[in-house]
């Protein structure tokens, strides 16, 4: 059970937990608590429309997995294929709208950490 894992979530556990909640998710955009919103994206770069409970559960898995590594006052993108957390581009920057440039804003200089270890 994920709650009982004292060493935190390993990449495969975190991604598996998210896929169990929202199977076709490739990218999760977690916004700051003040916005109280999370967006899930599929591999075609389009946003999935899910219920609020699903969004909250996926965001909880990500925040628990990365803990204090990220500054949750800012939006972050979690890319499941690489289990990597990135700082979300600002609205005026390339990648903020994932389908515009097909990058999900996943440039190396935005990388915060990889689940299970390496920090950006």
């Amino acid at each position: 059970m994920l709650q009982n894992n004292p060493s935190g979530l390993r990449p495969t556990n975190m991604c598996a937990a998210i896929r169990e909640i929202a199977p076709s998710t490739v990218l999760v955009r977690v916004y700051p608590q003040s916005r109280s919103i999370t967006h899930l994206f599929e591999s075609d770069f389009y946003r999935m429309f899910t219920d609020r409970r699903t969004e909250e559960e996926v965001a909880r898995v990500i925040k628990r997995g990365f803990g204090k590594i990220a500054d949750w006052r800012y939006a972050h993108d979690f890319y499941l294929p690489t289990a990597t957390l990135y700082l979300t581009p600002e609205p005026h920057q390339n990648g903020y709208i994932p389908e515009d440039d097909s990058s999900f804003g996943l440039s190396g200089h935005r990388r915060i950490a990889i689940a299970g270890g390496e920090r950006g």
Side-chain angles (χ1 to χ4, degrees):
M1 193 170 201
L2 291 174
Q3 290 100 333
N4 296 329
N5 184 350
S7 63
L9 294 173
R10 289 186 285 280
T12 53
N13 291 349
M14 182 184 294
C15 295
I18 292 169
R19 286 200 173 101
E20 188 174 308
I21 298 165
S24 60
T25 301
V26 172
L27 177 99
V28 179
R29 183 164 285 173
V30 180
Y31 289 95
Q33 186 79 19
S34 61
R35 293 204 42 201
S36 186
I37 194 166
T38 300
H39 291 161
L40 308 177
F41 295 90
E42 295 178 304
S43 62
D44 60 2
F45 302 104
Y46 290 103
R47 187 173 157 220
M48 296 169 50
F49 292 98
T50 61
D51 60 276
R52 183 70 188 129
R53 183 173 173 210
T54 298
E55 292 175 353
E56 288 171 347
E57 184 64 18
V58 170
R60 186 185 62 76
V61 168
I62 293 168
K63 286 181 176 181
R64 183 179 50 179
F66 287 102
K68 295 180 180 183
I69 291 173
D71 183 349
W72 298 109
R73 295 175 298 170
Y74 301 98
H76 288 79
D77 292 336
F78 179 68
Y79 188 58
L80 274 75
T82 61
T84 305
L85 186 70
Y86 295 87
L87 186 61
T88 301
E90 293 298 319
H92 65 279
Q93 295 175 317
N94 218 12
Y96 181 77
I97 301 173
E99 64 271 22
D100 281 355
D101 70 351
S102 300
S103 76
F104 280 140
L106 305 178
S107 40
H109 71 280
R110 294 192 192 295
R111 189 177 83 179
I112 303 295
I114 297 173
E118 186 181 335
R119 289 185 180 195

